[in-house]
Amino acid sequence: MQPEPNSFQTGLSDKAMETLKKQLVDLVEPLSDHQLLDLADGIHEMLRRRRMVRQHHAERMNARTRHGVDFRI
């Protein structure tokens, strides 16, 4: 799978992201399945909230422009 291109949101290079992923995997290895799933749920919830904020912002921008430009991501 091809890595996603860098984003203005991450601030990490591809190499730094790979290093971070390896470090995280090493850190969570000793967790029980329940603990790991709880951590993943927390990260997923954070992502959900970020997307809701972006969606809300895009809807507000669309309402303000009223030109039919779709700012949704």
Side-chain angles (χ1 to χ4, degrees), residues 5-51:
N6 286 339
S7 165
F8 66 91
Q9 298 171 354
T10 64
L12 293 178
S13 67
D14 290 342
K15 183 177 180 179
M17 186 63 192
E18 286 303 314
T19 300
L20 177 61
K21 285 183 349 186
K22 183 185 180 325
Q23 290 173 341
L24 283 172
V25 168
D26 291 345
L27 283 171
V28 302
E29 185 68 36
L31 297 179
S32 70
D33 289 354
H34 176 74
Q35 290 171 321
L36 188 55
L37 285 170
D38 191 39
L39 178 60
D41 285 345
I43 293 169
H44 192 207
E45 183 59 32
M46 180 181 61
L47 179 58
R48 234 184 260 118
R49 284 193 306 262
R50 284 182 177 186
R51 287 180 173 175

